[in-house]
C-alpha cells in the first residue's frame, strides 16, 4: 500500500511539473528609475503585473528590475516579453547586441509588448525593427507626448479588450505614432480624440506646437495597438502608464494584462484577467527617488 501511495504521489508531482512546463512564460523587464515619485515606476509596475498574473491558470511569470537582465538566460523559454522602461537613444533594446538577441527571439515567434516610454526608439536604430515587431513606434518630433485625459468611448472586439469597459483617464498618452504604411496588420485597441489645446503640446517634450499635429485637429488617435506578425509572433504597444496610480484603474490595467496573455498565445478569459488592486498594492515596491 505504501508503495502504491508513493507511486501516486510521484505521478501527481510529475503531472504538476509537466503542467507548469506547458505554461506560457511571460518575462517582464523594468527599467531604471528616471522620474519623480509616482512617475515611471517601472519596477513597481512590473511587480504589480506579476502579482496579477502569478495565479493565472496556464501562465508562469518572471520579472527583472532596473534594466536589461544580467542573466544571459533570462529570455529562455519565453512566450512573450514586456519592456516597461525609458526608451529613446538610451533604450536598452538598442544597446550592444540586444537588437540581435530580440530579433532572434522574434524569428521564433516570441511575443513582444512595450509600454509607455519603451515604445520610443530612434527611427534609424530600432525604428525599422519596431515596425516589424510591434507595428509602430514613437518617433521623436513626429509623435507627441502631452499629458491629457483620454476618453476611451468604444473598444474593438478583440481578445485584448475582453472584460474592458470604456473609461476616461489622465496620463501622458503618446500619439501620432509612426505606424506601418496604411496600418498594415495593425488593430487599434485604444483610441481617443485629443482636444485642440492638447494638440498645442504645452506639456510635451520637446514642447509643441508641432504643425502636423495641430493640423490633425479632430482626428482620433491610436493610443494602444496590436499586431500579428508573419512569423507567428504577436506585438503590442501601449503608450500610457506614466503615472503609477493609473494601474489602479481596472480597465487600464486589464488591457495590459490581457495583452500579455494574447501576445503569449494564451487564451484570454471571457471577462479578461481579473485582479483586485488596492491602494496598499500600489504603494508597494516604489523606487526611493528621494523619498
Amino acid at each position: 500500500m505504501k508503495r502504491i501511495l508513493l507511486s501516486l504521489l510521484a505521478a501527481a508531482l510529475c503531472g504538476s511539473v509537466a503542467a507548469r512546463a506547458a505554461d506560457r512564460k511571460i518575462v517582464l523587464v523594468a527599467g531604471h528609475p528616471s522620474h519623480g515619485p509616482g512617475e515611471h515606476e517601472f519596477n513597481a509596475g512590473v511587480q504589480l503585473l506579476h502579482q496579477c498574473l502569478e495565479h493565472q491558470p496556464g501562465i508562469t511569470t518572471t520579472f527583472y528590475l532596473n534594466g536589461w537582465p544580467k542573466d544571459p538566460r533570462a529570455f529562455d523559454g519565453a512566450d512573450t516579453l514586456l519592456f516597461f522602461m525609458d526608451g529613446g537613444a538610451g533604450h536598452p533594446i538598442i544597446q550592444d547586441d540586444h537588437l540581435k538577441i530580440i530579433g532572434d527571439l522574434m524569428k521564433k515567434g516570441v511575443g513582444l509588448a512595450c509600454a509607455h516610454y519603451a515604445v520610443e526608439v530612434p527611427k534609424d536604430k530600432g525604428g525599422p525593427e519596431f515596425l516589424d515587431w510591434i507595428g509602430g513606434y514613437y518617433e521623436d518630433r513626429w509623435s507627441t507626448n502631452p499629458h491629457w485625459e483620454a476618453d476611451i468611448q468604444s473598444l474593438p472586439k478583440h481578445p485584448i479588450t475582453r472584460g474592458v469597459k470604456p473609461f476616461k483617464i489622465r496620463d501622458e498618452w503618446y500619439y501620432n505614432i509612426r505606424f506601418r504604411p496604411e496600418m498594415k496588420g495593425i488593430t487599434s485597441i485604444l483610441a481617443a480624440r485629443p482636444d485642440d489645446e492638447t494638440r498645442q503640446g504645452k506639456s510635451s517634450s520637446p514642447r509643441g506646437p508641432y504643425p502636423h499635429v495641430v493640423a490633425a485637429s479632430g482626428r482620433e488617435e491610436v493610443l494602444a495597438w496590436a499586431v500579428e506578425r508573419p512569423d507567428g509572433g504577436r506585438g503590442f504597444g501601449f503608450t500610457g502608464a506614466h503615472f503609477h496610480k493609473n494601474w489602479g484603474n481596472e480597465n487600464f490595467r486589464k488591457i495590459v494584462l490581457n495583452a500579455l496573455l494574447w501576445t503569449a498565445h494564451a487564451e484570454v478569459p471571457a471577462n479578461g484577467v481579473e485582479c483586485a488592486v488596492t491602494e496598499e498594492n500600489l504603494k508597494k515596491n516604489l523606487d526611493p527617488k528621494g523619498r
Side-chain angles (χ1 to χ4, degrees), residues 128-144:
E129 289 84 358
F130 270 41
L131 284 177
D132 182 22
W133 299 341
I134 65 171
Y137 67 98
Y138 183 106
E139 181 182 314
D140 184 37
R141 292 175 174 77
W142 168 258
S143 307
T144 187

Side-chain angles (χ1 to χ4, degrees), residues 3-19:
R3 183 175 295 176
I4 292 173
L5 289 173
L6 288 172
S7 296
L8 289 172
L9 179 60
L13 288 172
C14 287
S16 176
V17 171

